[in-house]
Amino acid sequence: MSTSLTSLTIADARAQLGDRSISARELAESHIAGIEASRALNAFVSETADRAIADAARADARLAKGDAGVLEGIPVAIKDLFCTKGVLSTAGSHILNGFVPAYESTVTANMWREGAVMLGKTNMDEFAMGSSNETSYYGPVLNPWRRPGDNRDLVPGGSSGGSAAAVAAQLCLGATGTDTGGSIRQPAAFTGTVGLKPTYGRCSRWGIVAFASSLDQAGPMTRTVGDAAIMLKAMAGYDAKDSTSVDVAVPDYESVLEDSVKGLRIGIPAEYRIDGTPAEIVALWESGIAWLKDAGAEIVAVSLPHTKYALPAYYIVAPAEASSNLARYDGVRYGLRVDQGDLTEMYEATRAAGFGAEVKRRILIGTYVLSAGYYDAYYLQAQKVRTLIADDFKQAWQKVDVLLTPTTPEPAFGVGEKSDDPVAMYLNDILTVPANMAGLPALSLPAGLSSQGLPLGLQVVGRAFDEETVLRVGRALERAAAFDGRPAPWWRSS
Amino acid sequence: MPDEDLAPMADELSGILKWIEQLNEVGTAGVEPMTSVVGHPLHHRDDVVTDGGCREDILGNATETADGYFVVPKVIE
């Protein structure tokens, strides 16, 4: 087995597939072997090796004909929130036990059309509710990174933790994630990978198991900014089956990646400097500012005064939408069914057995904040605060082109460290949630290591539908940071 | 939910709601509640059937079916 094939970027693999110096089949085989040797990470719920070999054969045929798509022959992993036709799709929940969709999500259909090769479905927090991957029915994913000299397991972040771990451990060249409050960017930061949450409406939500429909957005997780650009191009596009999908042209993101950031105005929001942020995170942020300044960008101090209210408002809006979306799991049409007594008792027993503790918490909160008598005080107030948060960003766009912030308030933490305190877990998303509340595109890229040797991420937030500038600034930061950290492969069985 | 889980769950929910209540500090008089972040009008489509004829697919994941229907415990005595 060749490890060099699994360490390629998508861009390099595309070039080598294009000149036939490697085949899609050998690329798929080396990844399949890597996945089989890495089960200790628990990154996958389902491995689809046979499917990958079949996809690769098709890709090799198209490559031979000179008929290659954007992702032709590229082995990818799919978060288990995407419905994939004929392949178990669980959302990390027991309540979808045995569910095999008869249809394909639009985003994955777009990727298969462009020639991508499916390696499997990645583990995730149950219904994408979590920041550590510990809420999955299929057990926690482990972060490939450990603190040097310390063999305690760390979380990979969440909810797209399986995708992030798979990308970091070189089990795939790229993976899909979804991001409702930070679920692409926070695990990317925790695993030293790149994660992009596109503008709300850029990628179709059709066929993705719904968590909070006004916030959910699919995006790419990769090892380089350029690879995120390639993958987004294949994933994005208008879809009549999603009423919130926006009918705007998908640009060629790759073509602007290397453009200079000279003259761009970079906003530094004062409110993202939260009390108690570790000095090393602040120092990394200052490095990012210096790198962009050196590249000719103009640094501008801005204020987003409602930032601190984004997270509590999110914990009204997201559970409210979730309580409605998750009402459909009743044990009748698909998934788990616990037969007990009459119909009502069957519903209750099914939902009691099928949902984990975090999902139950959020359904209860969501139902409460939408209930008569509390609706105005909680839900309506949160939606008004959401307007103020979006207005803060609109004001900022008068003065700057993108915002630069840290992605997370801390590096990866230990398995079990925060599972007893929901609010402490929620605070992980404090810097990522505002972009969801306003529907804006945001990228996390690895920019350095903590004093304990763990990756740290910087976040670039842009105007709606301006992923191009976000990626361009991300690429400039990537070039300057020259992050080349790799986790030591402690998890591999030979 | 099992009885022994009720008290811890109540404590956790109280903690979360107490933390959420900081939103009351925000003055929102005259602010419109957010209804969409996109700001694009919804598309209209023709009112025609675009899908169907896939009963087996729809029933394929059910625990119990009979004669093309989902089966649930008896609800009418």
Side-chain angles (χ1 to χ4, degrees):
Chain A
M1 196 208 79
S2 165
T3 50
S4 64
L5 286 182
T6 58
S7 62
L8 293 173
T9 63
I10 294 176
D12 289 341
R14 181 180 59 185
Q16 294 185 27
L17 287 163
D19 67 19
R20 307 308 287 146
S21 54
I22 60 172
S23 70
R25 183 177 174 108
E26 60 186 317
L27 192 56
E29 282 171 343
S30 57
H31 281 92
I32 291 165
I35 291 168
E36 286 171 357
S38 303
R39 292 192 177 131
L41 293 175
N42 199 26
F44 285 81
V45 173
S46 303
E47 299 171 11
T48 57
D50 293 345
R51 159 76 185 264
I53 296 295
D55 285 353
R58 208 160 33 241
D60 278 326
R62 279 171 56 164
L63 284 157
K65 274 197 302 187
D67 182 24
V70 171
L71 293 176
E72 200 71 53
I74 302 297
V76 296
I78 302 297
K79 186 179 184 180
D80 213 15
L81 201 64
F82 292 76
C83 287
T84 42
K85 189 174 180 176
V87 178
L88 180 71
S89 301
T90 70
S93 181
H94 188 36
I95 207 150
L96 276 166
N97 190 45
F99 175 60
V100 178
Y103 51 85
E104 187 75 31
S105 85
T106 297
V107 163
T108 48
N110 290 345
M111 292 170 67
W112 313 140
R113 198 182 55 239
E114 294 295 341
V117 170
M118 176 154 91
L119 293 166
K121 304 289 295 285
T122 56
N123 200 347
M124 53 178 285
D125 278 301
E126 185 178 5
F127 284 108
M129 298 178 191
S131 304
S132 69
N133 230 290
E134 293 166 293
T135 74
S136 171
Y137 176 72
Y138 297 92
V141 175
L142 303 185
N143 194 329
W145 287 82
R146 284 175 169 173
R147 300 178 188 110
D150 181 341
N151 62 8
R152 278 174 298 179
D153 290 327
L154 303 178
V155 303
S159 66
S160 311
S163 288
V167 172
Q170 302 188 340
L171 310 184
C172 57
L173 295 186
T176 62
T178 61
D179 191 316
T180 303
S183 280
I184 287 176
R185 291 161 287 158
Q186 184 253 16
F190 277 17
T191 57
T193 57
V194 173
L196 172 61
K197 182 199 91 71
T199 311
Y200 183 81
R202 177 63 92 183
C203 291
S204 171
R205 291 181 297 107
W206 193 83
I208 301 173
V209 175
F211 161 18
S213 305
S214 78
L215 299 157
D216 298 342
Q217 183 59 203
M221 305 182 75
T222 56
R223 289 194 289 268
T224 67
V225 175
D227 285 358
I230 296 170
M231 252 185 91
L232 179 61
K233 170 91 180 159
M235 295 169 70
Y238 172 66
D239 176 18
K241 288 190 282 192
D242 172 4
S243 67
T244 60
S245 165
V246 178
D247 193 2
V248 293
V250 178
D252 182 10
Y253 301 110
E254 239 187 315
S255 67
V256 298
L257 266 183
E258 302 298 334
D259 290 0
S260 166
V261 296
K262 198 164 178 207
L264 278 184
R265 297 162 305 166
I266 313 292
I268 309 301
E271 292 79 5
Y272 280 61
R273 193 164 184 151
I274 292 153
D275 287 345
T277 304
E280 60 191 16
I281 302 257
V282 176
L284 182 81
W285 193 6
E286 277 159 8
S287 300
I289 293 169
W291 293 329
L292 291 176
K293 210 173 186 174
D294 288 347
E298 183 192 342
I299 306 299
V300 182
V302 295
S303 174
L304 301 167
H306 296 92
T307 299
K308 71 176 273 209
Y309 300 110
L311 198 63
Y314 173 88
Y315 274 96
I316 292 175
V317 174
E321 295 184 20
S323 71
S324 170
N325 275 326
L326 271 57
R328 71 189 69 174
Y329 301 102
D330 57 8
V332 174
R333 291 153 299 154
Y334 46 79
L336 182 73
R337 171 151 162 184
V338 179
D339 274 311
Q340 189 177 305
D342 64 17
L343 183 63
T344 304
E345 285 165 335
M346 187 276 278
Y347 289 153
E348 289 173 355
T350 298
R351 290 170 67 84
F355 292 134
E358 180 61 22
V359 173
K360 285 176 183 162
R361 272 195 285 275
R362 296 204 197 183
I363 290 173
L364 287 166
I365 289 174
T367 309
Y368 178 72
V369 300
L370 289 175
S371 59
Y374 297 97
Y375 180 89
D376 286 1
Y378 286 109
Y379 186 72
L380 206 59
Q381 175 73 356
Q383 292 290 51
K384 288 176 180 174
V385 170
R386 196 172 172 189
T387 298
L388 293 172
I389 291 161
D391 286 347
D392 282 355
F393 282 107
K394 281 182 197 143
Q395 297 287 321
W397 303 137
Q398 307 284 326
K399 290 195 268 184
V400 299
D401 299 301
V402 294
L403 298 166
L404 175 70
T405 79
T407 308
T408 58
E410 59 181 351
F413 48 88
V415 171
E417 225 168 80
K418 288 182 201 284
S419 24
D420 295 337
D421 184 350
V423 174
M425 187 70 86
Y426 299 169
L427 287 171
N428 249 284
D429 291 335
I430 196 160
L431 304 175
T432 48
V433 148
N436 298 83
M437 294 299 267
L440 302 172
L443 173 88
S444 178
L445 77 154
L449 292 176
S450 74
S451 55
Q452 291 189 308
L454 296 177
L456 297 172
L458 285 175
Q459 175 178 236
V460 181
V461 184
R463 292 188 180 95
F465 296 101
D466 191 14
E467 286 86 359
E468 286 166 287
T469 306
V470 169
L471 286 161
R472 176 151 66 112
V473 172
R475 176 67 190 120
L477 288 165
E478 181 180 56
R479 217 182 284 128
F483 180 86
D484 59 359
R486 283 258 312 273
W490 54 266
W491 64 86
R492 284 186 79 100
S493 60
S494 48
Chain B
M1 202 176 290
D3 286 348
E4 65 270 23
D5 290 352
L6 291 179
M9 179 68 91
D11 286 346
E12 284 163 3
L13 294 184
S14 298
I16 295 165
L17 288 167
K18 187 161 167 272
W19 169 71
I20 284 173
E21 270 160 18
Q22 59 178 296
L23 286 182
N24 296 334
E25 300 163 23
V26 187
T28 53
V31 177
E32 283 294 313
M34 167 85 75
T35 50
S36 164
V37 292
V38 185
H40 282 250
L42 288 177
H43 286 264
H44 290 261
R45 65 165 175 81
D46 295 334
D47 188 13
V48 293
V49 175
T50 58
D51 203 354
C54 49
R55 190 167 73 182
E56 294 310 311
D57 284 347
I58 290 167
L59 294 172
N61 276 294
T63 306
E64 196 179 351
T65 62
D67 304 327
Y69 292 95
F70 297 109
V71 174
V72 298
K74 192 170 165 186
V75 284
I76 301 166
E77 291 305 325

